[in-house]
Amino acid sequence: MNKLLVTLLLFLAFAKGTAQIVKPVKWTSKVEKVSDTEFNLVMEGKIDDEWHVYSQFTPDGGSLPAEFKFTDAKGNYELMGKVKESPYKKRFNDVFAVDEYYFEKEVTFTQKVKVTNPKLTVIKGMIDYQVCKQVCINDTKTFTFAIPLMPIAKVTPIDTIKVEVTSTTKDTTVKTVENEVKSKVTVPKKEEKKGLWMIFFLAFLGGLAALLTPCVFPMIPMTVSFFTKQSKNPAKGKSNAIIYGISIIAIYVILGLAITAIFGADALNALSTNPWFNVIFFLLLVVFAVSFLGAFEIMLPNSWANKVDRQADRGGVIGILFMALALAIVSFSCTGPIVGTLLVESASKGGIAPIVGMLGFSSALALPFMLFAMFPSWMHSLPKSGGWLNTVKVSLGFLELALAFKFLSNADLVLQLHYLEREVFLAIWIAIFGTWALYLLGKITTPHDSPLSHISVGRLSLGLLVMAFTVYMIPGLFGAPLKLISAFPPPQTYSESPMGFSGNSSSSSTEALPEGAEIGPNNLIVFKDYDKGLAYAKTVNKPVMIDFTGYACVNCRKMENNVWSDEKVKEVLKKEVVLISLYVDDKRELPKNEQTVSKVTGNDIITIGNKWTELIITRYNTNTQPYYVLMDLKEQKLNEPVSYTPNVEEYLTWLKTGISKFKK
């Protein structure tokens, strides 16, 4: 009943235009003493039901990640590492075509600091974050952390000094509770479990692919024959083969453990959005791909294989373990690129993903050795080695090359360089998959291919499938959404022609644009500057529609894609109003003479986004996006503003009602 009442109130507030300042996150802070000079600055948020706060690690191109700023650090304190955060959930956002990391119910951010000024009593910090439900709010919260004077007395390692700060806009209350023991239990999230299972499944497929390469496949009958013939009895041969398989799994899992230990879970999360690591991953995958295509082989030193091979002669469990290690070294030219790709992809997911990935890969690699040793008669069903093994290897090279450009695209999106926009990315993929199709159909060959007199039915079928996929991508150059691969190319808005090559050229001509205007969503003319938009509206005697929006506002994009795209709505927005879109998350700094302090919130107004946030709060007493206002040339409301309105007819009625009042 209470939930129903809250829902009804929210509906009345948003749907009927009752503007209000919404604060879905209640923040508190505290200081935990680690040592005489080291402290944890803890920021805890209680999040209202159905609202989401986004992680600092959520990838660029989606919702707005949390950002932290601590002032007056020089000579007073040092930040020790990045801000740590409580476990987040992960979900694919089909509007932005990226994975998003977010928190529900509650969130904890912790920054460890080392105090270098013994007289320091206060540290000030700030979090800039986005919280979304049906609407999005970009908010800033300032914290004041009270640092205890030190040293006072010895305390046990588990004792902490806890300082809770509960603050409003004007008042700050500080409460100190000494020697309080704090403990929290972290519960794995369902989404994280699903993500790990997906990594395991993909890695398992990678292991199966590695089996079908020239370096591994011929070793299956040789190794199984060794265990069955050299063992004193069949049972011993089977047990040795099982130990061999377990040893293979152990070797690769240890590799995953090493990657996780070297980088750490938090650092691995950061890698996924770091542009320079994405560039390094791109170059690494290109090297792997070129190797698979036959330009060269990536091999470990022969001396390693010789030394390990000598140890394998020792026999027993130790000898079998070294046999497994010898397999990993000898087959590295084929398995190395696959393992490297899996480690790159799983490392970007963070946490224990590299361990799970190596477990999946090694399980698939080890399974045939164990099964064929247990059931030797199955060996007769194995296909013979031949040129088809190199076909598998080359095909993996094409897939590696295509995946490499996804990492380069990530870097380009983060840096906003616009070198690898959607059309360029798709053109590259069309070239890669088109060439792969020609290869499978026997039209081109690579250095290590055997002479080909005919192609098998399986190779022909795969060639046709790849060719069909290539043809499927071509309309994407002209604006088609390509839903099957929406997670890979850049979003439609990150392109040379956001509306596709078939957009109305007359409406998008830069010559026809008023001064200060640009082409926006659905090929509409928009102003991003309030004063210029209002001045233009006065010259053409049209009402103004203010669109309070955000680059990282998912429901803003839904309104543009699903409501503004309707022909009737689009016609009204195009011909009967002057559209001003004000982005409240625009991070560009204002000129110094325009920077000020909010009279309402007390926050610094430094960026263009801060300026538009101040406008929506002071004039319309709300802070949510999307938010639409129809006003006349005297800046008076023509009707009550609306927020997220997914019903096209309802939104169209609202537009026409306001415009009709302007014309009276």
Side-chain angles (χ1 to χ4, degrees), residues 147-160:
I147 304 299
L149 292 175
M150 39 71 175
I152 298 175
K154 285 187 176 181
V155 293
T156 60
I158 60 171
D159 287 343
T160 64

Side-chain angles (χ1 to χ4, degrees), residues 231-297:
S231 301
K232 295 179 180 178
N233 54 68
K236 185 64 175 177
K238 293 177 181 179
S239 64
N240 286 343
I242 292 173
I243 294 172
Y244 180 71
I246 293 174
S247 299
I248 293 173
I249 294 173
I251 288 167
Y252 285 101
V253 169
I254 290 171
L255 178 60
L257 280 167
I259 294 294
T260 304
I262 291 169
F263 290 102
D266 290 337
L268 289 173
N269 279 326
L271 290 184
S272 64
T273 57
N274 186 292
W276 306 116
F277 274 101
N278 274 281
V279 170
I280 292 172
F281 292 160
F282 162 74
L283 295 174
L284 193 62
L285 294 191
V286 168
V287 171
F288 291 159
V290 173
S291 171
F292 267 163
L293 292 173
F296 54 84
E297 288 193 352

